[in-house]
Amino acid sequence: MQNLKDKIAIVTGANSGMGMATVEALSDMGATVIMLCRSKQRGEEALEKLAAKKDRKLDLILCDLGDFESVRSFAKQVKERYPRVDILVNNAGFISLDRQETKEGLEMQFGINHVGHFLLTTNLLPIMGEGARIVNVSSGAHKTGKIHFDDINLHKGFNVITAYSQSKLANVLFTRELARRVKDRGITVNCCHPGAVATNIGIDRKTGFGKTITGLLKPFFQTPAQGARTAIFLASDDSVKDISGEYFYKCKIAKSSKRSKDMELAKKLYEFSEELVAEK
Ligand SMILES: NC(=O)c1ccc[n+]([C@@H]2O[C@H](COP(=O)([O-])OP(=O)(O)OC[C@H]3O[C@@H](n4cnc5c(N)ncnc54)[C@H](OP(=O)(O)O)[C@@H]3O)[C@@H](O)[C@H]2O)c1
């Protein structure tokens, strides 16, 4: 086990599934972990459960990644409370069968999974330095993804596969371009596919719709702790401290789609995202 005693980590989507498992693992290695959660109730319940084990250094800061003001306020609170961030695990994820929009009118999967994390990460970069690590939790679903610059919010061609895979391709492209941009500062950026994992993903938080299907699939899927292994490995293991800009599966560099390696596309998406989050 790595020693993360003096490290300050942030995990997004920390109250459920792999996010919660990641908080558990990083705090057991000694890190102080800031849990980013959007729901006060779900965040406090998770914090209470995790804090039941002695000596864990945990903090909870609320943030809705689908709301720019909330993301900026989260980053501001982190900067007020902590001198720096050593580990950022962009794990939170959203998938939906119907088309929904974030506060700023972005299609919600792109808005939360990519743009919210883009804004969060770029706001925290000033307090990240040499040796810091950023881990983006993507998905194998990126392989069917395209970035629809001409209709990024999918007003015309929405379906869950198009939307989710676009957002997860964006996670890989963001990883590659950001890795290039922060190379000189000694910060690494990698992403991963966790595999198929039994979590709350796809379950409607208000209606509970989706629970039965997830329940039926549970015996065939990995547990959250198993699924979180690669993200935890990238966030903490010495063997990857100098690796950056890569896509991992099962703790190894893995093959990602041709499109996800297109650096022109990665640059275009980065600049497009900068424009989306620019303060008007
Ligand atoms: N499970 C799989 O098989 C699988 C496969 C490939 C990739 N992934 C990826 O793995 C990551 C973790 O997902 P999971 O399977 O552990 O799902 P999960 O149990 O549903 O957890 C997702 C987390 O993201 C949070 N979240 C959603 N929308 C948010 C928002 N607007 N602001 C802040 N937090 C938000 C959720 O908060 P609430 O609880 O409040 O909704 C929850 O804490 C995701 O990026 C997902 O795309 C999962």
Side-chain angles (χ1 to χ4, degrees), residues 13 15-18 36 38 42 63-66 91-93 112 137-139 164 168 193-197 199-201 205:
N15 60 286
S16 176
M18 287 181 265
L36 180 155
R38 66 170 158 173
R42 290 192 288 274
C63 172
D64 182 346
L65 288 160
N91 157 84
I112 294 173
V137 180
S138 177
S139 166
Y164 186 68
K168 290 289 145 181
H193 167 48
V197 189
T199 64
N200 291 317
I201 196 121
R205 300 304 196 252

Side-chain angles (χ1 to χ4, degrees), residues 65-80:
L65 288 160
D67 174 345
F68 291 176
E69 205 183 309
S70 176
V71 176
R72 290 195 179 101
S73 156
F74 175 90
K76 188 166 168 272
Q77 290 175 69
V78 170
K79 287 173 187 165
E80 282 162 3

Side-chain angles (χ1 to χ4, degrees), residues 71-97:
V71 176
R72 290 195 179 101
S73 156
F74 175 90
K76 188 166 168 272
Q77 290 175 69
V78 170
K79 287 173 187 165
E80 282 162 3
R81 291 188 209 177
Y82 297 92
R84 54 171 208 286
V85 171
D86 304 296
I87 298 167
L88 170 61
V89 183
N90 287 323
N91 157 84
F94 177 79
I95 187 165
S96 167
L97 292 175

Side-chain angles (χ1 to χ4, degrees), residues 110-123:
F110 185 70
I112 294 173
N113 301 353
H114 170 61
V115 184
H117 282 118
F118 177 90
L119 181 61
L120 175 72
T121 307
T122 48
N123 263 268

Side-chain angles (χ1 to χ4, degrees), residues 23-172:
V23 176
E24 222 169 342
L26 297 181
S27 62
D28 286 348
M29 289 184 236
T32 297
V33 187
I34 305 160
M35 300 167 60
L36 180 155
C37 302
R38 66 170 158 173
S39 147
K40 186 169 188 293
Q41 192 197 333
R42 290 192 288 274
E44 283 173 352
E45 279 170 11
L47 177 64
E48 198 183 315
K49 256 192 215 160
L50 291 165
K53 186 165 168 192
K54 227 173 119 241
D55 296 333
R56 282 186 177 153
K57 293 168 281 180
L58 303 170
D59 193 359
L60 168 66
I61 305 183
L62 299 180
C63 172
D64 182 346
L65 288 160
D67 174 345
F68 291 176
E69 205 183 309
S70 176
V71 176
R72 290 195 179 101
S73 156
F74 175 90
K76 188 166 168 272
Q77 290 175 69
V78 170
K79 287 173 187 165
E80 282 162 3
R81 291 188 209 177
Y82 297 92
R84 54 171 208 286
V85 171
D86 304 296
I87 298 167
L88 170 61
V89 183
N90 287 323
N91 157 84
F94 177 79
I95 187 165
S96 167
L97 292 175
D98 41 83
R99 193 183 170 281
Q100 299 179 44
E101 290 186 353
T102 65
K103 191 161 169 237
E104 281 77 19
L106 297 168
E107 184 284 314
M108 206 171 255
Q109 293 165 77
F110 185 70
I112 294 173
N113 301 353
H114 170 61
V115 184
H117 282 118
F118 177 90
L119 181 61
L120 175 72
T121 307
T122 48
N123 263 268
L124 291 172
L125 275 180
I127 57 161
M128 300 186 84
E130 181 76 37
R133 299 181 186 202
I134 299 168
V135 180
N136 297 321
V137 180
S138 177
S139 166
H142 84 272
K143 290 183 181 172
T144 50
K146 274 191 200 157
I147 307 293
H148 301 261
F149 288 109
D150 53 346
D151 182 23
I152 202 74
N153 294 312
L154 303 174
H155 285 287
K156 283 169 247 149
F158 179 89
N159 70 58
V160 59
I161 295 168
T162 310
Y164 186 68
S165 63
Q166 168 170 262
S167 76
K168 290 289 145 181
L169 172 62
N171 291 156
V172 188

Side-chain angles (χ1 to χ4, degrees), residues 17-18 20-22 24-25 197-199 222-230 232:
M18 287 181 265
M20 196 160 162
T22 304
E24 222 169 342
V197 189
T199 64
Q222 300 177 89
T223 63
Q226 290 167 338
R229 264 186 207 151
T230 305
I232 296 163

Side-chain angles (χ1 to χ4, degrees), residues 220-238:
F220 309 103
F221 283 13
Q222 300 177 89
T223 63
Q226 290 167 338
R229 264 186 207 151
T230 305
I232 296 163
F233 169 79
L234 290 171
S236 62
D237 206 87
D238 264 350

